[in-house]
Amino acid sequence: MLTRQLLRYRLDGDRLLPRWLKPTPAVLQLAEDLLAFWKGGIGRMRGELDEGESAILHGSRQMLVGRGLSKVLTDACDFGDPASAEALRARALAASFARLRQPLASSDEHRAAVAAELALAPEALADGLYADLPDRAVLAAVPAWNATTLIARCNLALCQGLLLGASELRVHLRDRERGIQRRLLRALARRRLCAEVASADGGGLYLTVSGPAAVLDQRSAYGMQLALWLPALACATQWSAQVQVVPPRGVHAARMELDQSLGLPGDLALLDWVPPELAAWLEQLPAKLPGWTAVDPEPIVLPGGQVVLPDLALADGQRTVAVELFHRWHLVQLRTRLDQLRAGLLPGLIIGVDRGLSRLAEARPLLDDPLIATRGFQFSDLPSARALAEALAR
Amino acid sequence: MISLRFQDGTLLLDGLPEDGGPLAGLCVWDARVRLHRAAALHYAAILRRLHGKAEYRDEARAYAEVVLAEREPRPMRHYQRAALEAWEGAQRRGVVVLPTGAGKSYVALRAMLACRRSALVLAPTIDLVVQWATDLEARLGRPVGQYGGGEKRLDDITVATYDSGILFMPWHGNRFGLIIFDEVHHLPSGVTSQTASMCIAPFRLGLTATPERSDGQEGRLDDLVGPIVHRTRIDELEGEFLASYQAEVVEVAMDPDEAASYTAHRAQYLTFLRASGVQLSGPTGWQDFLAAAGRDPRGRAALRAWREQKRLARASRAKLRAVWELLREHGGERALIFTDDNDTAYEIGRQMVLPVMTHHTRPAERRAMLAAFRDGSWPVLVTSKVLNEGVDVPEASVGIIVSGSGSVREHVQRLGRILRPQQGKVAVLYELVSAGTAEGFTSERRRSHAAFGENDWRDEAPPAPRPPPPARPC
């Protein structure tokens, strides 16, 4: 994403208007020049490429735009690690400090004497002493983008940079396809974002996305998560969003509006991102729970439009069972869900209750509910295979 | 009954009336979970309001009482005792301002002993985290947890970087009763402040030599940590508890060709600034310069000229010769060479075959460089910014500032690096300034502090200690 200095926007009353990069001939030319320059630089060192690139940037009338394009492009480039120079450094410094006990008249003489001791030319010593700095990293690969793609990615990076100051994102997802809805909701949960979800006319969803502490104005803790979720949202084909953003050079929140017409590129890797601890748990599941595999949970729409998104779904080839987990702060939701189970609204759902929640006095009457005995289990952090197996068997 | 629970760096409060009742003003209604929610920071204030006035159950607190003992107790210096007493008198919340090298970490240790609660120390860099952990383990004779730089061990006493604190506070913000912010002037900036607001620790201690910030955000420390409760200045300790020192400004005349080049480049960019009406000193000065440069080929040339004159002033040939002369003059002493930028640091390193430590230096090599500096096998170390703060190099007696910003804090911190007392030590700080350049103004700005014989720009008397606190439920 773009850094603060590279964010281009203006304020119009309570609205924040990003200065979208348009594919004008000048901008397209600049993007093409940068792409050609970096693609032609494979095998060369970063430092010399940065220096060479500055000629393109300084030659352009839009230096800030050029820097933004360059940032997005080089962030996506692959640089190899420069070879370590630590061994040479250790030998050279040992020799240098031995000679510094009786220093020579000039640093040139000193360097020449140290180089001679190492059987190197003074220039070779100076060049090799810190040859493992990042500017010596060799460019290995450049993304296969064209100028239009680079411009679109720069606009996405602009948006993400602005979202770092966001407190809440209101989304109208018009895509009716359950698959994308499910993946977007799952991506939200995996980023520890909170969402109020309601069904919209025509099969879409309304989402109000924020972090747990957003009501307390601790927005920036979630700004990064919102920024990382945006490329997932952009995978949808029909959506619009309103964001309250405190701009980097401002004090008061302003409204930013986004939708699919901006052509922001989606990122499937971020749509299907799995946190490392969950990935490890899922990897162990088939061995610990033979016959069952984890599948994507389907959102369940209740009468009245409320949407329930289970945390997990397990399938054994014949049936699919959804699993919803209730943590210490889900007392109210657990009470509601038990009422809904009792009313027969969620036939394929079993529920896990965090032991921290079980210990609450208010939760005890709920745990005595017969539904817990037939449809529930307890867990800490993540459900154990044994508890799941027992619940599934019931 | 009102119940408190910790969730994701916040407090969830159950059993309150809609308007928040006794906790009005400290919490808000969160419709998403249909409960009241408060910042974890307000934990102590919430308990004080509820204690003895309402029935409540505290399920938020997950920190332990720990009995700590110092392996080899030593007497506190008078100003350390005064600082600790002032902090205790302010309900164990507040900021202690002591010069670098005056033993702030010992005040922190005594605060831990006094609180007897699990404690978290936050520091800005990995080097400082390692230093804190090593020191605390040695003094307390017990394992100390470490978070950051690849380590993820929590213990009753844990040390972490601010960056790691931001990441783990949503999960572990209820596990510490005392939180100590080393170099607390970092805390008010942006996301870093959330390490304080997402933690329930009722007892809070901030440590710094220089609380003032150029953006004026130091006022936020009152809410996040507490008020400044004690301040001792460098000149009050010099000679007794800090090494005696001299600070010397060395004007260095550039070689004629470089001086001419400097003058020409400076004139070129100043001419452009005047013509385009850009004021670099304004709040958006640099942005305006970049924008103007982007619109006009003369502007782009002016930008290049700005860079070149800056480079010449920072690292002229004459300056580098002066560095070498100083190293010769102080042969055998431990010297730290400071620069404003990495390029100059590496230029010196390459030219004089010296070790350079920057943020690019890998942790293992950093440790090796510091160890070699301390044991005297590599008695000179070149650095840009990473040694500005905190890292303990008591053997250093010579500081050479080749270039720096106009920040008073940076300059005082750099001086602090050579002030750790040692028998008979007289430290000397050289500041190399390119004669007849803008560096002269920068140098004047950063020296406006009592440590350099000038009035501190915002020096103030320490506030009177507060009255003893009421009974603490924490």
Side-chain angles (χ1 to χ4, degrees):
Chain A
M1 56 194 77
L2 293 185
T3 50
R4 188 185 157 87
Q5 297 86 349
L6 299 175
L7 298 175
R8 299 166 65 246
Y9 63 90
R10 69 184 175 86
L11 294 170
D12 178 14
D14 65 347
R15 294 179 69 203
L16 185 150
L17 303 169
R19 290 187 191 275
W20 302 115
L21 212 45
K22 297 192 181 90
T24 61
V27 172
L28 278 168
Q29 187 60 54
L30 180 56
E32 276 166 15
D33 289 349
L34 287 169
L35 281 162
F37 175 80
W38 285 94
K39 282 176 182 167
I42 290 177
R44 288 168 62 197
M45 285 188 291
R46 175 150 199 171
E48 60 179 281
L49 289 169
D50 282 340
E51 214 167 294
E53 186 201 48
S54 67
I56 300 175
L57 298 179
H58 285 137
S60 156
R61 287 179 59 81
Q62 296 172 294
M63 197 177 314
L64 212 55
V65 170
R67 283 174 191 273
L69 289 167
S70 166
K71 165 96 171 65
V72 172
L73 177 57
T74 51
D75 279 355
C77 285
D78 186 10
F79 291 92
D81 282 335
S84 171
E86 278 186 42
L88 169 67
R89 205 149 50 231
R91 281 194 303 138
L93 292 174
S96 174
F97 281 115
R99 290 188 167 274
L100 267 177
R101 289 188 199 117
Q102 288 179 316
L104 295 169
S106 75
S107 58
D108 286 347
E109 290 172 62
H110 174 75
R111 188 176 65 250
V114 173
E117 201 173 318
L118 301 178
L120 288 172
E123 298 74 25
L125 172 61
D127 189 55
L129 193 60
Y130 291 102
D132 48 2
L133 292 173
D135 66 345
R136 300 292 185 102
V138 172
L139 179 62
V142 179
W145 295 344
N146 60 27
T148 313
T149 317
L150 176 56
I151 290 167
R153 288 197 172 260
C154 198
N155 282 332
L156 176 68
L158 166 63
C159 240
Q160 289 182 292
L162 289 166
L163 277 176
L164 290 180
S167 54
E168 188 180 86
L169 189 61
R170 289 175 182 270
V171 179
H172 183 185
L173 180 65
R174 294 189 190 82
D175 278 37
R176 297 166 60 183
E177 205 234 312
R178 285 281 175 234
I180 187 73
Q181 292 183 359
R182 184 183 64 223
R183 289 159 82 190
L184 277 171
L185 292 171
R186 188 185 57 192
L188 274 177
R190 287 180 176 174
R191 296 216 168 269
R192 295 182 74 89
L193 289 164
C194 292
E196 284 180 61
V197 185
S199 56
D201 290 344
L205 294 177
Y206 290 115
L207 311 173
T208 306
V209 185
S210 59
V215 291
L216 304 168
D217 197 29
Q218 293 178 349
R219 59 189 167 268
S220 15
Y222 311 108
M224 177 61 85
Q225 302 304 328
L226 291 172
L228 290 171
W229 187 70
L230 180 67
L233 175 62
C235 291
T237 53
Q238 292 188 64
W239 59 276
S240 58
Q242 274 196 10
V243 201
Q244 288 297 319
V245 174
V246 178
R249 294 183 289 278
V251 179
H252 303 295
R255 191 177 77 251
M256 177 167 74
E257 292 177 354
L258 309 169
D259 62 40
Q260 80 279 347
S261 71
L262 296 167
L264 301 177
D267 188 329
L268 291 172
L270 290 174
L271 179 64
D272 295 325
W273 178 74
V274 183
E277 65 276 11
L278 182 60
W281 185 86
L282 289 171
E283 202 175 289
Q284 292 165 2
L285 193 67
K288 292 189 172 176
L289 206 60
W292 292 89
T293 50
V295 295
D296 282 344
E298 290 284 345
I300 306 165
V301 182
L302 298 174
Q306 193 195 348
V307 178
V308 174
L309 181 74
D311 294 276
L312 298 165
L314 298 165
D316 68 352
Q318 294 175 331
R319 61 189 172 139
T320 300
V321 178
V323 183
E324 191 176 12
L325 304 176
F326 293 84
H327 296 88
R328 278 181 300 170
W329 50 90
H330 286 140
L331 178 67
V332 176
Q333 289 86 341
L334 175 62
R335 195 175 285 140
T336 309
R337 198 68 78 243
L338 285 171
D339 289 343
Q340 290 163 340
L341 282 172
R342 206 172 293 112
L345 296 175
L346 297 155
L349 183 77
I350 60 174
I351 54 178
V353 181
D354 179 49
R355 290 199 170 82
L357 175 58
S358 311
R359 283 194 286 271
L360 300 181
E362 301 97 309
R364 279 185 208 125
L366 302 179
L367 294 171
D368 292 338
D369 192 311
L371 277 167
I372 294 287
T374 54
R375 308 270 294 269
F377 64 93
Q378 292 199 20
F379 71 96
S380 303
D381 297 332
L382 284 167
S384 70
R386 188 175 154 191
L388 271 176
E390 286 173 7
L392 289 167
R394 287 199 298 270
Chain B
M1 162 138 11
I2 298 164
S3 72
L4 283 77
R5 278 170 275 152
F6 179 80
Q7 187 223 339
D8 276 0
T10 68
L11 291 170
L12 283 180
L13 306 156
D14 204 355
L16 287 171
E18 199 172 323
D19 65 356
L23 301 183
L26 288 176
C27 61
V28 296
W29 175 249
D30 187 345
R32 299 167 306 175
V33 292
R34 290 193 273 163
L35 290 172
H36 284 84
R37 197 186 285 272
L41 168 74
H42 294 320
Y43 172 75
I46 287 171
L47 289 199
R48 274 198 293 273
R49 281 209 200 164
L50 295 178
H51 197 61
K53 294 169 199 149
E55 205 180 343
Y56 70 97
R57 188 176 53 247
D58 179 3
E59 288 158 0
R61 172 179 166 162
Y63 56 83
E65 290 205 15
V66 286
V67 179
L68 302 170
E70 198 181 356
R71 263 178 158 177
E72 293 173 17
R74 66 180 202 206
M76 296 184 86
R77 296 169 182 165
H78 66 84
Y79 59 87
Q80 289 173 325
R81 188 177 308 109
L84 188 65
E85 284 171 4
W87 179 72
E88 295 243 40
Q91 302 186 352
R92 293 178 175 164
R93 287 171 86 99
V95 174
V96 166
V97 183
L98 288 177
T100 304
K104 288 190 286 291
S105 58
Y106 194 61
V107 176
L109 178 79
R110 297 296 286 252
M112 286 181 201
L113 299 180
C115 282
R116 299 198 302 169
R117 300 287 189 282
S118 44
L120 172 68
V121 181
L122 292 176
T125 63
I126 296 290
D127 298 299
L128 277 170
V129 164
V130 172
Q131 186 172 291
W132 269 99
T134 310
D135 189 50
L136 287 172
E137 279 183 355
R139 286 182 190 279
L140 295 172
R142 59 183 293 154
V144 168
Q146 199 177 312
Y147 228 91
E151 295 278 352
K152 282 188 176 177
R153 284 181 291 113
L154 282 184
D155 214 315
D156 283 339
I157 307 293
T158 295
V159 189
T161 58
Y162 281 101
D163 287 346
S164 300
I166 295 165
L167 297 175
F168 77 56
M169 243 13 137
W171 283 266
H172 304 304
N174 60 343
R175 291 192 50 172
F176 302 98
L178 168 65
I179 184 165
I180 294 167
F181 302 96
D182 189 20
E183 309 292 351
V184 71
H185 48 269
H186 288 278
L187 188 64
S189 55
V191 182
T192 308
S193 66
Q194 286 166 14
T195 56
S197 57
M198 290 188 154
C199 176
I200 69 168
F203 307 130
R204 293 166 182 245
L205 172 62
L207 301 170
T208 180
T210 47
E212 293 82 9
R213 294 169 54 94
S214 55
D215 60 6
Q217 290 281 309
E218 63 269 22
R220 293 190 67 203
L221 290 175
D222 273 12
D223 293 330
L224 297 170
V225 185
I228 291 177
V229 293
H230 177 88
R231 186 192 286 256
T232 299
R233 301 186 328 188
I234 286 186
D235 51 341
E236 294 173 62
L237 304 182
E238 185 198 350
E240 189 177 2
F241 299 107
L242 293 178
S244 297
Y245 66 93
Q246 298 163 12
E248 194 176 321
V249 178
V250 181
E251 285 215 341
V252 180
M254 286 184 192
D255 291 349
D257 61 327
E258 286 192 330
S261 176
Y262 173 85
T263 307
H265 283 106
R266 187 166 169 79
Q268 184 181 4
Y269 102 81
L270 286 176
T271 304
F272 175 77
L273 287 186
R274 277 188 215 106
S276 55
V278 172
Q279 295 229 326
L280 266 193
S281 56
T284 58
W286 183 245
Q287 300 269 350
D288 296 343
F289 184 20
L290 280 185
R295 287 192 296 268
D296 184 341
R298 284 170 307 173
R300 294 192 279 281
L303 190 59
R304 283 194 293 275
W306 177 85
R307 285 210 184 94
E308 181 59 10
Q309 57 91 36
K310 187 109 177 146
R311 186 193 67 77
L312 286 166
R314 277 173 170 171
S316 66
R317 288 191 303 268
K319 250 193 186 180
L320 300 195
R321 284 198 302 271
V323 172
W324 184 255
E325 284 308 315
L326 288 172
L327 290 181
R328 290 184 55 177
E329 192 179 318
H330 289 276
E333 292 180 60
R334 309 291 163 77
L336 292 171
I337 300 173
F338 296 100
T339 67
D340 194 36
D341 59 317
N342 287 347
D343 285 351
T344 306
Y346 283 110
E347 175 63 26
I348 292 171
R350 287 187 187 103
Q351 186 162 328
M352 302 177 197
V353 197
L354 292 173
V356 180
M357 188 191 287
T358 68
H359 70 279
H360 293 311
T361 313
R362 293 186 183 93
E365 196 177 9
R366 273 187 194 206
R367 285 194 290 275
M369 281 181 179
L370 283 173
F373 184 81
R374 286 174 182 141
D375 72 22
S377 49
W378 292 2
V380 182
L381 193 50
V382 188
T383 180
S384 49
K385 307 260 183 190
V386 296
L387 284 186
N388 278 0
E389 284 182 337
V391 177
D392 193 5
V393 278
E395 301 79 4
S397 58
V398 179
I400 303 172
I401 294 174
V402 180
S403 54
S405 68
S407 159
V408 173
R409 180 195 305 140
E410 177 184 273
H411 202 49
V412 172
Q413 296 273 15
R414 285 176 164 186
L415 171 65
R417 299 278 69 76
I418 59 171
L419 290 188
R420 302 269 174 183
Q422 282 207 319
Q423 187 72 34
K425 171 171 151 183
V426 178
V428 55
L429 182 75
Y430 294 102
E431 191 187 339
L432 305 186
V433 176
S434 290
T437 71
E439 278 202 330
F441 304 114
T442 311
S443 167
E444 270 178 37
R445 279 214 317 274
R446 65 185 171 223
R447 278 185 289 114
S448 37
H449 189 278
F452 305 99
E454 307 216 6
N455 286 329
D456 198 344
W457 55 308
R458 271 190 258 174
D459 211 5
E460 56 192 40
R466 291 182 176 189
R472 277 188 294 266
C474 309

